[in-house]
Amino acid sequence: MTRKVFKNCKVVDVVNSNIFDGAVAVEDGKIVEVGASVDAKGAEEVDLQGKYLMPGLFNCHTHMCLPPTPSTQYGLSDCKTTMMALEHLKQFVDTGVTFIRDVGGVNYIDVDIRNAARAGKIVAPDMQVSGKCICMTGGHGWQMGREADGADDCRKAAREQLKAGADWIKIMGTGGVMTEGVEPGSPQLNEDELRAAIEEGHKVGAK
């Protein structure tokens, strides 16, 4: 068991809307004690010199494999996409984001990156990834997604994402602002198509 104590810091208590001078003890990557003072016996001590210490931030809607620009570029090579994704993950970590939910990857690069992060091979936030988004032919996100038409095809598309290692299923029910020629908010996949994909996720406990 590895114990580390972060001391001499201003602890941001977001539950009680309070900031106090204190310390935080961590064991094997988990916070185990927070207070004005904590047990530092046998622990590695890290002096934060009065800096603020707060819980990590969650980003619940991001695309690590896409550039954060209004005109999304989908034609990058897998190598360039991977390098961009790793840079995005570094930016997350550097700004206090400790968990992300990726809502649509490119060629399962998101799955490979998640696996590398879980294995401790790269520094990155904890994450859940969806693999390819499921959309109708020509629908929102078709450039990076899995186009599917009809309930049976949507069912198969969901199974493909789960087989590839997706934590959850991303379904494009309507148009969106990032796809040229698509009306944002317009109905796209029908209810029976949506239900088919949802059922496959629920079979394995995925959202």
Side-chain angles (χ1 to χ4, degrees):
M1 180 178 66
T2 302
R3 185 177 178 91
K4 185 179 291 188
V5 171
F6 298 89
K7 65 179 186 179
N8 187 20
C9 60
K10 296 186 180 298
V11 179
V12 180
D13 180 355
V14 297
V15 175
N16 299 302
S17 301
N18 184 31
I19 299 176
F20 62 91
D21 293 327
V24 175
V26 175
E27 291 181 2
D28 296 328
K30 293 185 178 182
I31 296 172
V32 294
E33 191 177 352
V34 179
S37 62
V38 301
D39 181 12
K41 183 178 180 181
E44 175 188 350
E45 297 185 49
V46 180
D47 188 343
L48 295 182
Q49 301 178 347
K51 294 178 180 177
Y52 288 84
L53 186 62
M54 62 179 284
L57 302 172
F58 282 24
N59 186 328
C60 292
H61 188 126
T62 190
H63 299 272
M64 72 176 98
C65 293
L66 295 180
T69 58
S71 299
T72 302
Q73 295 177 331
Y74 294 101
L76 297 178
S77 68
D78 284 357
C79 181
K80 288 183 178 180
T81 299
T82 301
M83 289 190 293
M84 178 175 59
L86 293 174
E87 178 60 26
H88 288 164
L89 294 176
K90 182 179 183 300
Q91 291 170 351
F92 280 134
V93 171
D94 288 347
T95 54
V97 177
T98 58
F99 176 88
I100 64 170
R101 187 181 69 146
D102 196 88
V103 294
V106 175
N107 294 335
Y108 304 114
I109 292 170
D110 56 333
V111 175
D112 289 338
I113 286 177
R114 181 209 59 200
N115 292 344
R118 286 182 179 174
K121 295 179 180 179
I122 60 173
V123 176
D126 290 334
M127 66 185 78
Q128 289 191 346
V129 300
S130 64
K132 296 181 179 181
C133 62
I134 300 172
C135 61
M136 74 175 195
T137 296
H140 179 41
W142 68 266
Q143 301 95 330
M144 57 185 281
R146 164 50 159 98
E147 293 176 293
D149 300 296
D152 287 343
D153 200 20
C154 287
R155 188 181 305 279
K156 183 175 182 179
R159 289 173 176 174
E160 289 171 356
Q161 306 322 302
L162 295 167
K163 177 183 177 181
D167 297 299
W168 66 287
I169 304 298
K170 173 67 179 285
I171 311 167
M172 300 298 202
T174 70
V177 297
M178 299 297 286
T179 305
E180 186 177 355
V182 168
E183 180 65 27
S186 63
Q188 295 198 341
L189 292 177
N190 297 326
E191 184 176 344
D192 62 330
E193 294 172 316
L194 294 170
R195 287 189 181 279
I198 290 168
E199 287 172 1
E200 293 308 310
H202 286 179
K203 283 181 182 180
V204 297
K207 299 294 184 182

